[in-house]
Amino acid sequence: MSELLIGIDPAYGKPSAVTYLYKDVFYHFQLPNAYDFHGMFEILNNNLPYAENPVLIIEGQEIYKMSPVKTEVVLELANRTGFIEAVVRSVLPVSCFRVAPKKWKGNVPPRVLMARVEKQVGILPGNKQE
């Protein structure tokens, strides 16, 4: 198992949340809502520790029939996901896994999901982005 596990939830119209687990401690920071490769590289490079075989888990996107979310929003999130993954890969040689929202949370309301996270890992999340 890797000693560095990075989770990123790309966001639309706001900063993207980054959480990583390193040596049994969780750390959090945010990436700006911009396509600024150099700026994002600096943030990641200054915040992520070097580790052997780091793993990145990033929320992927999927277009669902009858979804209230506009297709252009999902496509923009997909673009952001690819951009963020490229920047992370320029900082660390990560193995990357993209997970669709319905696979990791389903249709669970955010507060129920946060309670599950708290129970699973023993931490109390603040808000959805954290």
Side-chain angles (χ1 to χ4, degrees):
M1 182 175 172
S2 174
E3 66 177 13
L4 176 60
L5 180 63
I6 307 161
I8 300 180
D9 182 7
Y12 180 80
K14 57 187 172 185
S16 294
V18 179
T19 297
Y20 67 93
L21 176 63
Y22 181 66
K23 296 185 178 178
D24 296 326
V25 178
F26 283 98
Y27 300 88
H28 309 281
F29 62 95
Q30 293 183 331
L31 295 174
N33 178 32
Y35 287 103
D36 174 8
F37 193 94
H38 179 73
M40 204 174 282
F41 177 92
E42 290 297 318
I43 291 169
L44 290 164
N45 196 46
N46 291 334
N47 283 282
L48 294 175
Y50 179 80
E52 294 292 323
N53 306 313
V55 174
L56 169 64
I57 301 171
I58 191 165
E59 184 179 89
Q61 290 73 41
E62 191 171 344
I63 296 173
Y64 305 105
K65 290 182 181 179
M66 307 302 288
S67 172
V69 179
K70 293 181 180 180
T71 301
E72 57 267 19
V73 171
V74 177
L75 293 175
E76 174 59 22
L77 279 170
N79 287 336
R80 289 179 188 276
T81 298
F83 182 82
I84 291 169
E85 181 183 334
V87 181
V88 173
R89 286 179 180 270
S90 72
V91 173
L92 292 170
V94 295
S95 296
C96 184
F97 299 91
R98 287 190 186 190
V99 183
K102 73 177 181 184
K103 292 204 185 239
W104 72 268
K105 70 176 182 178
N107 293 325
V108 175
R111 289 283 162 212
V112 173
L113 177 62
M114 285 193 283
R116 287 182 184 173
V117 169
E118 178 184 351
K119 182 178 179 182
Q120 182 73 28
V121 298
I123 62 169
L124 178 61
N127 60 44
K128 183 176 182 289
Q129 283 304 100
E130 290 173 342

